[in-house]
Amino acid sequence: MNEIFRTTIIQISIWVAVAGVILALIRGLIGPTPADRVVAIDSMTTVATVIIALFAHLFKRFIYLDVALVFGLLAFITVLIIARCLERRMI
Amino acid sequence: MIILNVIRVYAGYFFLIIGSLFLFLGPLGILRFPDVYNRLQAGTKSTTLGAISALFGIGLLEPGWLGKIVILILFILLTNPVSSHAIGRSAYRSKVPLCGKSVVDKCEEEHIYKEAK
């Protein structure tokens, strides 16, 4: 009973966060300017980091938190480099 | 002691639900706001609060993981405003227009980033 309750709560949280990712993806597809798309990518990656941490708790694997940390680091570097290229008019 | 464990677990569920709700509301603001700068506000602040709350909920549910959870929270808390500031600066310097309802532009008034114009 307790295990079923825990799994249900975490699956509800994961699906709500996935709905947020889909909304940001729509904005990234229809965004009028490139800055809109970069904002959507930034938000999507933060939500995806939390989704990986939720999967770590769902499957009881401690090592997935390292995956979340590396994913967040790569997303941060990606957003910084794209913003810098946008500022220097390379795109 | 059992009472304390029950309180910890239900507080973890509460923070998890609140965090995932904020993680849904931030991209909703990104989809509905009229401007790049408003979208940046909604996306960054709401997503940061949601991520911190959900990760703290996971840390309450699994007390052995609390060290790495705190590292993740500090990482998100440090890197999210930096990337937000970089995006806003690049959007302003590449002359993305403000929306029609904007009333003030302090960078225009005080001639910050004048060399970009």
Side-chain angles (χ1 to χ4, degrees):
Chain A
M1 176 59 199
N2 204 0
E3 185 66 24
I4 294 174
F5 185 67
R6 181 188 76 94
T7 311
T8 308
I9 291 286
I10 293 174
Q11 282 180 358
I12 288 172
S13 302
I14 288 175
W15 281 112
V16 171
V18 165
V21 170
I22 290 172
L23 288 182
L25 186 65
I26 293 172
R27 172 51 70 190
L29 286 178
I30 69 171
T33 64
D36 286 320
R37 301 173 202 265
V38 183
V39 171
I41 286 174
D42 185 23
S43 174
M44 271 168 57
T45 49
T46 309
V47 180
T49 306
V50 180
I51 288 175
I52 293 171
L54 284 174
F55 272 116
H57 183 236
L58 181 61
F59 296 133
K60 298 276 188 186
R61 299 288 175 95
F62 180 67
I63 199 70
Y64 286 179
L65 289 181
D66 292 336
V67 179
L69 198 59
V70 173
F71 184 79
L73 188 64
L74 285 178
F76 171 62
I77 294 172
T78 304
V79 168
L80 273 191
I81 290 176
I82 292 177
R84 180 53 59 96
C85 290
L86 207 67
E87 188 176 336
R88 302 253 173 102
R89 296 174 182 277
M90 292 178 190
I91 301 174
Chain B
M1 207 58 183
I2 295 176
I3 298 291
L4 213 60
N5 264 339
V6 170
I7 289 174
R8 173 179 62 81
V9 168
Y10 280 97
Y13 288 148
F14 176 73
F15 278 112
L16 209 60
I17 293 295
I18 292 293
S20 65
L21 204 62
F22 270 96
L23 286 182
F24 174 72
L25 288 177
L28 188 67
I30 287 183
L31 192 60
R32 285 188 55 86
F33 274 163
D35 195 3
V36 177
Y37 310 102
N38 293 330
R39 281 171 200 152
L40 198 59
Q41 168 100 4
T44 306
K45 282 189 178 178
S46 173
T47 309
T48 306
L49 177 63
I52 289 172
S53 180
L55 288 175
F56 186 62
I58 295 174
L60 280 182
L61 285 177
E62 298 265 355
W65 295 5
L66 205 55
K68 191 147 284 187
I69 290 290
V70 166
I71 291 175
L72 254 175
I73 286 176
L74 283 181
F75 177 75
I76 286 179
L77 202 59
L78 283 179
T79 60
N80 226 342
V82 175
S83 62
S84 158
H85 174 258
I87 296 169
R89 186 166 172 267
S90 74
Y92 192 81
R93 289 187 72 160
S94 59
K95 297 174 187 170
V96 175
L98 275 72
C99 75
K101 290 180 183 176
S102 301
V103 292
V104 67
D105 187 1
K106 281 290 184 184
C107 286
E108 174 77 28
E109 287 176 3
E110 299 176 0
H111 298 290
I112 305 171
Y113 303 142
K114 192 178 180 181
E115 73 276 6
K117 300 222 168 150

